[in-house]
Amino acid sequence: MLAMQHYNSSGLLGPFPLSNHTTMGQVSEVKAVAYNATRPPSNPTAAGLSMTLGILFNVVALVILAKAYRRFRRRSKATFLLFASSLVATDLAGHLITGAIVMRLYSSGTGGSVGETASIFRGDPDNPDASCLFLGGCMVFFGLCPLFLGCGMAAERCLGVTKPLLHAHLVTTARTKVALILIWLLALSVALLPYFNLGAYTYQYPGTWCFIRVMEDTTVTDLAFVLLFSGLAWSTLASAFVCNTISGITLVRARLKKRSCSQRRSATSHDTEMVVQLVGIMVTSCICWSPLLVFGLMSAIRSYSGTMGSDKDTYRKLVMTGVRMASCNQILDPWVYILLRRAILKKIYRITKRQASFKGSTFRSVRWEVGSFLNSEKNSVNKISVDLQRKEGDVSTIGL
């Protein structure tokens, strides 16, 4: 109970120094109490809603992809669909695993006093437990996997659009599966680096999730790990941008040439659909991941250099906002594929065209009615003038 003796109502240590008999475990317990007391109340509603929506959307996208894979199993689109299915399945597993752990952390702090919460070191950045280490590894693994898969999909489509013969010779279903396994192993090897003393996972504000240590006592290995994580993420996004740009330019040139072969037009249409989906995935990843990559790297650099100062609370909230936006990527990825399919785009185009033609026909009918009215008025005037002329002629004839 030494922690409670040195804890006041403000959540800070009291003015009395710790005795010489205070152990390191008791000091950690005191820091855990002080850290937990500054956190906002636990509210699992947002986390539960995000987890539910992510699971629902990814399941729907996975069903659509499975049906499409059966239909295009022996075509060039099969490789893309295999990558997309792996991406959606990875996002689904990420929501299930990380969401379950986060909900457990929320539920563990909803009951009991502050002292009871601190007794299990919930949220203590200096004493991450096994669940925190596992959650941190999952955050890194399920964060890098979608970025790696998006880059792999962009590279595969770039090769298929620019060098279709080479793509048909090199890219097979078996090699695609090997590439997927290598991508997952690469992300897993990065996530396991803290278990080999390269970097560390720790509780992050407000103590309900774990990630790379970027705020509290950052060491050179932590900084190296953050640089590696951010560098890999930025590299995959940049590579995907280059590949999608090349694919887009190639498809635009093919469209401008207006080739007469209907089969080629169909192939180009499929390529255009896939490239549009890849661009959507890339833009979504850039928007969702940029805040966490930027704020996490800035926090680690300032914490390591000792220039954090009074900005620690601000950076805690910025990193928390960044991880929330990054989690939205797993929710939006399936919607990018669902909404940017050719069938959906055709329906949107037909509806837009129908509305435009309806407005045009309405405008033309109004013009026709106005023109008809003017013509009828003109004809009436002409008829009256002709009748008058005839009457004048009859009168003159009688006079004669």
Side-chain angles (χ1 to χ4, degrees):
M1 300 300 294
L2 182 61
M4 299 305 296
Q5 295 175 2
H6 293 275
Y7 176 79
N8 56 21
S9 59
S10 63
L12 302 176
L13 296 180
F16 302 102
L18 295 174
S19 65
N20 296 330
H21 300 287
T22 304
T23 62
M24 295 301 297
Q26 290 171 328
V27 173
S28 299
E29 188 174 349
V30 172
K31 294 178 68 175
V33 174
Y35 181 75
N36 289 325
T38 60
R39 295 176 313 182
S42 297
N43 185 13
T45 304
L49 181 62
S50 175
M51 177 181 174
T52 304
L53 291 177
I55 293 174
L56 178 62
F57 296 158
N58 282 281
V59 167
V60 172
L62 201 58
V63 171
I64 295 175
L65 283 166
K67 292 182 179 179
Y69 183 74
R70 288 199 203 108
R71 190 173 48 181
F72 297 99
R73 190 167 186 176
R74 294 185 179 180
R75 301 184 185 182
S76 60
K77 194 177 179 181
T79 305
F80 174 83
L81 292 174
L82 191 57
F83 267 109
S85 301
S86 303
L87 173 63
V88 174
T90 303
D91 288 340
L92 177 60
H95 273 287
L96 286 172
I97 297 174
T98 59
I101 300 174
V102 170
M103 292 302 295
R104 176 181 173 274
L105 290 175
Y106 269 110
S107 61
S108 66
T110 54
S113 62
V114 178
E116 292 175 351
T117 303
S119 65
I120 61 172
F121 301 108
R122 177 179 178 270
D124 182 12
D126 291 335
N127 293 275
D129 52 11
S131 62
C132 176
L133 298 177
F134 182 72
L135 177 59
C138 290
M139 293 283 289
V140 172
F141 175 78
F142 291 112
L144 289 177
C145 273
L147 300 179
F148 289 166
L149 290 172
C151 181
M153 294 166 67
E156 183 269 335
R157 273 298 87 205
C158 182
L159 181 63
V161 171
T162 57
K163 304 290 183 181
L165 296 178
L166 182 62
H167 177 272
H169 177 70
L170 292 179
V171 180
T172 61
T173 303
R175 291 176 179 175
T176 302
K177 293 178 180 178
V178 172
L180 291 172
I181 294 173
L182 291 177
I183 288 174
W184 285 324
L185 289 177
L186 177 60
L188 181 62
S189 62
V190 175
L192 291 178
L193 287 178
Y195 294 91
F196 298 95
N197 297 324
L198 180 59
Y201 296 124
T202 183
Y203 281 100
Q204 305 289 332
Y205 176 87
T208 53
W209 62 287
C210 295
F211 196 58
I212 306 170
R213 185 181 340 190
V214 295
M215 301 293 298
E216 306 290 338
D217 302 327
T218 305
T219 62
V220 64
T221 56
D222 298 326
L223 183 60
F225 190 35
V226 174
L227 288 172
L228 176 63
F229 177 81
S230 300
L232 288 174
W234 286 119
S235 299
T236 54
L237 290 174
S239 300
F241 175 78
V242 172
C243 293
N244 289 330
T245 302
I246 295 174
S247 301
I249 293 174
T250 304
L251 290 174
V252 169
R253 288 179 178 177
R255 288 285 183 180
L256 294 176
K257 288 181 180 179
K258 296 181 179 180
R259 301 188 180 184
S260 59
C261 180
S262 60
Q263 184 178 0
R264 181 60 189 171
R265 283 204 306 267
S266 178
T268 305
S269 178
H270 281 296
D271 290 334
T272 303
E273 177 190 12
M274 290 183 281
V275 171
V276 168
Q277 291 172 349
L278 287 175
V279 171
I281 292 173
M282 180 193 65
V283 171
T284 303
S285 299
C286 288
I287 295 174
C288 293
W289 275 97
S290 294
L292 179 60
L293 296 176
V294 172
F295 297 147
L297 187 59
M298 291 175 60
S299 300
I301 293 175
R302 295 198 63 178
S303 177
Y304 177 72
S305 61
T307 59
M308 182 74 71
S310 59
D311 297 332
K312 183 176 290 187
D313 291 336
T314 302
Y315 276 97
R316 282 176 176 171
K317 295 178 181 179
L318 289 176
V319 173
M320 182 63 185
T321 303
V323 79
R324 284 176 175 171
M325 291 187 64
S327 64
C328 292
N329 186 35
Q330 298 174 331
I331 301 176
L332 297 177
D333 274 344
W335 276 107
V336 171
Y337 177 78
I338 292 172
L339 296 179
L340 296 183
R341 288 182 300 151
R342 187 172 56 170
I344 302 298
L345 294 177
K346 279 185 176 180
K347 289 181 180 179
I348 295 175
Y349 174 74
R350 288 173 183 173
I351 293 173
T352 305
K353 187 177 179 180
R354 190 182 305 167
Q355 290 180 352
S357 62
F358 176 75
K359 291 180 180 179
S361 62
T362 304
F363 179 70
R364 285 194 298 270
S365 63
V366 171
R367 289 183 59 186
W368 181 82
E369 290 175 358
V370 172
S372 300
F373 176 75
L374 293 177
N375 290 332
S376 61
E377 290 293 328
K378 186 177 180 180
N379 293 332
S380 299
V381 172
N382 291 333
K383 186 176 181 181
I384 292 172
S385 61
V386 170
D387 293 339
L388 290 175
Q389 289 177 359
R390 286 179 179 177
K391 289 181 180 180
E392 290 176 359
D394 293 340
V395 170
S396 61
T397 304
I398 295 172
L400 291 174

